Amino acid sequence: MNLNKLAWRNNWRRKRRTLITAFSIGFGVMLSVTFTGSGDYTYTNMIDMGASMGMGHVTVEPPGYHLKPTLDKRLTGTAKLQQQIMALPGVAGATVRITGQAMFASARKSVGGAFIAVDPEFETAQNNLLLRSIVAGSMFTEPSGRGMVIGSKLAKKLKVKIGKKVVYTTTDAHGEIVSDIARITGIFTTGIDIVDGIMALLPISSVQKTLGYASDEATLIAVVISDQRHAEGMRDAIARLPAAADTAVMTWKKSQPDLAGVIAFDKAGNYISQFLVGLLIAVGILNTMLMSVLERTREFGVMMAVGMSPGVLFRLVMVESFWLAIVGLLLGVIITAPWYYYLYHTGIDFSGAFGSDFSYGGVLVDPVFKVRLFKESVMAILGGVFTLALLAGLYPAWRAGRVPPVESLKTI
């Protein structure tokens, strides 16, 4: 007996009910793609944005610096370590930086803030959010010069503009208070109020001299990778490098705990939504298959009376569930494809709901709702929906083979 052909015909006895159930599966696929795709896009965007704010996807720093970030802790031999990191597959960039707290003073006012000392030769718009957010002036070009790029709100607090001098005061490698002077070459606006209000970029060689650092000393190396999902693997690969022997290597989850917490909380809500969608799909399939079984009680009694075993009936109903799931998934792909194409390429602009601050969890968030699916997400959605469909058919299939033939034949 060809169970596939028989199951296919049985499903289409009630065309309307089968189509409604298949469309419900397809709609569930569309919802799952929307939720999962939104998460894949948003989380990746947030993590990449956070990495470009100074710490990278993976951060190499002195032991204990993460818990107590003082400038007396520093890496040595940064040039050699940077070279070894850049040789690793999957590394998009590795930049040596010095981060610290400072007091900025102009002729009119003093404001507390933070600085990142960078080498302009290795800084690009891809690995540095502040650099690609410059709205006035330009990035300084000499690592040993006196240039400075500051946030627009910090410039407003200090009442300075391009070309004006700013004195920054901090503590050096020995805990002594030191000061130096810089001239503003550029002003950036990221859209994150706290960043625009406290952050400044300084040339690394000048800061090294001010702090008493050697030319190959810094507080961290920010590593940017091509795919944020491989951050843990990259961390382990860097930790095994000979030049990284006396360093602490951590991923963005540890260097940016606020961002990691926001993403974990949002993922939990996403999983709950996915569970509810799956539950609706399973209930719909269960209802359809159970109604189909109850309507055919007499038919099943005749089939068992002529020799069909309960096991074969069980397999028959499960095959019906299988084909119902296949039809639903095909409809889901057809329904979802144009919706996914639109959200992937265009998206829905929610900038009006964000106001002027586009930050969430301390990083910049794209106000345009878009989706992006990783391969493993596609497989999880299709596999999950298909598995739910089969699980929902277990009870009706078990029910089909449980009624004795004599009792089944009594049913009118």
Side-chain angles (χ1 to χ4, degrees), residues 287-304:
N287 178 68
T288 298
M289 297 308 301
L290 189 57
M291 288 296 295
S292 176
V293 168
L294 293 177
E295 287 176 354
R296 293 182 289 161
T297 302
R298 183 178 179 82
E299 176 185 327
F300 289 152
V302 173
M303 295 171 72
M304 285 190 289

Side-chain angles (χ1 to χ4, degrees), residues 22 45 56 125 158 184 205 210 226 233 267 294 317 320 365:
N45 190 48
L158 294 172
I184 298 175
S205 295
T210 302
S226 55
K267 277 186 176 180
L294 293 177
V317 177
E320 291 177 13
V365 177

Side-chain angles (χ1 to χ4, degrees), residues 14 21 280 322:
R14 301 283 186 175
T21 306
L280 289 174
F322 169 84

Side-chain angles (χ1 to χ4, degrees), residues 70-88:
T70 55
L71 291 169
D72 60 329
K73 300 182 180 71
R74 54 195 185 273
L75 295 172
T76 59
T78 55
K80 183 178 180 181
L81 180 55
Q82 181 187 31
Q83 186 178 12
Q84 292 182 1
I85 293 173
M86 288 297 296
L88 294 173

Side-chain angles (χ1 to χ4, degrees), residues 10-288:
N10 288 337
N11 278 335
W12 293 106
R13 285 182 178 184
R14 301 283 186 175
K15 294 181 181 180
R16 182 179 299 178
R17 186 169 60 198
T18 298
L19 285 174
I20 290 175
T21 306
F23 271 107
S24 69
I25 296 173
F27 185 69
V29 170
M30 186 180 73
L31 289 179
S32 295
V33 167
T34 303
F35 290 139
T36 306
S38 172
D40 285 352
Y41 174 84
T42 303
Y43 302 149
T44 298
N45 190 48
M46 291 176 68
I47 293 168
D48 290 345
M49 194 69 68
S52 68
M53 289 173 65
M55 305 301 287
H57 294 104
V58 180
T59 307
V60 184
E61 59 185 35
Y65 182 81
H66 176 66
L67 299 176
K68 190 178 180 182
T70 55
L71 291 169
D72 60 329
K73 300 182 180 71
R74 54 195 185 273
L75 295 172
T76 59
T78 55
K80 183 178 180 181
L81 180 55
Q82 181 187 31
Q83 186 178 12
Q84 292 182 1
I85 293 173
M86 288 297 296
L88 294 173
V91 174
T95 53
V96 178
R97 293 169 176 167
I98 299 174
T99 60
Q101 307 294 316
M103 179 66 70
F104 299 103
S106 65
R108 297 183 178 183
K109 196 173 182 181
S110 297
V111 177
F115 68 86
I116 303 176
V118 299
D119 186 341
E121 181 182 351
F122 294 98
E123 299 294 327
T124 65
Q126 286 70 37
N127 65 19
N128 193 321
L129 171 65
L130 309 184
L131 181 59
R132 67 173 177 264
S133 301
I134 292 177
V135 295
S138 61
M139 179 70 171
F140 48 81
T141 57
E142 295 294 330
S144 58
R146 297 287 180 180
M148 172 187 275
V149 179
I150 66 173
S152 56
K153 292 187 179 296
L154 179 58
K156 186 176 181 180
K157 292 176 184 176
L158 294 172
K159 300 180 180 179
V160 295
K161 57 184 179 179
I162 302 296
K164 295 297 182 179
K165 294 179 180 179
V166 173
V167 175
Y168 63 93
T169 303
T170 185
T171 55
D172 65 7
H174 307 289
E176 302 294 331
I177 297 177
V178 292
S179 298
D180 204 349
I181 193 168
R183 190 181 297 273
I184 298 175
T185 64
I187 296 175
F188 61 80
T189 300
T190 63
I192 307 174
D193 291 342
I194 189 171
V195 173
D196 295 338
I198 67 169
M199 291 300 302
L201 293 177
L202 293 168
I204 191 167
S205 295
S206 295
V207 174
Q208 285 172 332
K209 293 178 182 178
T210 302
L211 299 179
Y213 282 17
S215 59
D216 66 342
E217 291 183 331
T219 59
L220 63 89
I221 298 178
V223 183
V224 177
I225 60 179
S226 55
D227 191 339
Q228 56 85 14
R229 294 173 295 169
H230 302 150
E232 282 78 11
M234 184 60 66
R235 174 200 59 197
D236 297 339
I238 292 174
R240 290 192 293 266
L241 294 174
D246 296 319
T247 65
V249 186
M250 64 186 69
T251 66
W252 61 270
K253 292 181 180 179
K254 191 172 182 179
S255 63
Q256 301 180 77
D258 291 342
L259 175 60
V262 166
I263 291 178
F265 180 79
D266 196 74
K267 277 186 176 180
N270 202 333
Y271 291 149
I272 293 174
S273 300
Q274 296 277 32
F275 172 77
L276 293 177
V277 170
L279 187 63
L280 289 174
I281 293 174
V283 169
I285 297 173
L286 175 62
N287 178 68
T288 298

